[in-house]
Amino acid sequence: MKGRVLIAAGSDSGGGAGIQADIKAVTALGGYAATAITALTAQDTHTVHGIHEVPLDFIRQQMQVVLADIGADAIKTGMLHRRGVIEVVAEAVAEHAPGVPLVADPVMVAKGGARLLDEDATEAAIALLLPLAYVVTPNIPEAEVLSGLEIADLDGMKRAAEKLKSLGPKAVLLKGGHMSGETLTDLLLTDDGFEAFAGPRIETAHTHGTGCTTASALACGLAQGLTLKDAFARARAYVQEAIRSAPGYGSGHGPLNHAHTVRPPSP
């Protein structure tokens, strides 16, 4: 086991996304996952049926005690659904984990369409979280909200990524899964410029938690000392196989097979 990742995100009772997906992905890639749970959701493969708040002081305490005792080699944020949560998490990262790479996944909408970010929290995410991020990992709808730009093609992805990078993160990973076509292209923007990662689209309904899983797998790679490019290349390959081998659970957008890297001993 190598690489400590502290994850601040919401819990998904269905197990396909959120903290549950984060822990599975980090563990499956040989890392150690610690958590600060920001909200509890009642969720299945169709939608989010309810959200239960976690007190802000308790979110802060979760992060403080983990960082003081166990420490972290990378931090990943997911569902930070309201302004106060963003403020608390950003303060904890800045105060207790300066220099630790932050993978900020700006979770806004669940796979089933339920909104997971209050509208008035978007400005807080832009002002407080993005400047702390080593890399921000939006999908196309999230990038459109954060950048204020419409994205219709690869050139639009590039313009939005440049706008997002100007807001403070060291790098931008713009995921292209919402674009149409047989080829899926993810775009990575760093100080060295753009790099496109393209491959065939896997036609399936079982994609619940792909964003959470990708960001956590990326954070795990950074925690283990991989470069950003190598960490994402591994994360992308891991997620692709997790989609291909998804178990088919649920009657909506089903979960991935996070455990495809695990080879249990014979009984």
Side-chain angles (χ1 to χ4, degrees):
M1 183 175 286
K2 177 184 178 182
R4 303 162 296 174
V5 183
L6 172 59
I7 304 147
S11 168
D12 172 6
S13 62
I19 283 286
Q20 286 82 350
D22 298 325
I23 295 172
K24 293 172 189 176
V26 171
T27 303
L29 292 172
Y32 179 83
T35 65
I37 297 177
T38 58
L40 306 177
T41 72
Q43 190 170 170
D44 56 19
T45 62
H46 292 278
T47 191
V48 177
H49 296 273
I51 298 176
H52 183 71
E53 302 286 350
V54 174
L56 297 180
D57 286 345
F58 190 66
I59 296 172
R60 180 185 292 108
Q61 186 180 26
Q62 290 177 83
M63 297 186 70
Q64 287 176 341
V65 297
V66 169
L67 289 168
D69 179 31
I70 298 171
D73 301 300
I75 297 173
K76 182 260 181 179
T77 61
M79 179 185 172
L80 310 180
H81 59 298
R82 56 191 178 97
R83 184 179 186 91
V85 175
I86 294 171
E87 291 173 345
V88 163
V89 170
E91 289 170 4
V93 171
E95 182 176 351
H96 300 287
V100 177
L102 169 63
V103 178
D105 188 27
V107 177
M108 294 183 175
V109 179
K111 188 68 69 179
R115 188 172 182 89
L116 297 177
L117 179 71
D118 291 349
E119 292 187 16
D120 65 351
T122 302
E123 291 184 3
I126 293 171
L128 301 176
L129 197 64
L130 265 59
L132 294 174
Y134 181 74
V135 57
V136 60
T137 63
N139 58 31
I140 286 175
E142 292 161 350
E144 288 182 325
V145 172
L146 293 171
S147 69
L149 300 175
E150 183 178 348
I151 302 172
D153 51 25
L154 186 59
D155 286 340
M157 290 178 68
K158 289 182 177 180
R159 287 192 294 271
E162 289 174 332
K163 176 65 178 296
L164 290 176
K165 193 170 184 303
S166 74
L167 298 175
K170 291 182 173 61
V172 177
L173 171 62
L174 181 43
K175 298 169 291 188
H178 285 78
M179 296 286 282
S180 60
E182 296 181 358
T183 300
L184 189 154
T185 301
D186 298 318
L187 199 63
L188 180 63
L189 174 60
T190 67
D191 289 339
D192 295 326
F194 289 103
E195 181 154 4
F197 296 76
R201 182 184 301 276
I202 302 171
E203 294 296 341
T204 177
H206 302 293
T207 56
H208 183 52
T210 51
C212 303
T213 301
T214 299
S216 285
L218 173 57
C220 184
L222 295 175
Q224 293 168 335
L226 299 181
T227 66
L228 177 58
K229 176 183 174 181
D230 289 345
F232 175 59
R234 186 182 73 166
R236 194 173 193 273
Y238 167 74
V239 171
Q240 287 175 330
E241 181 57 32
I243 294 173
R244 273 193 290 266
S245 59
Y249 297 152
S251 55
H253 296 285
L256 314 183
N257 174 19
H258 292 90
H260 68 81
T261 62
V262 180
R263 298 291 180 268
S266 300

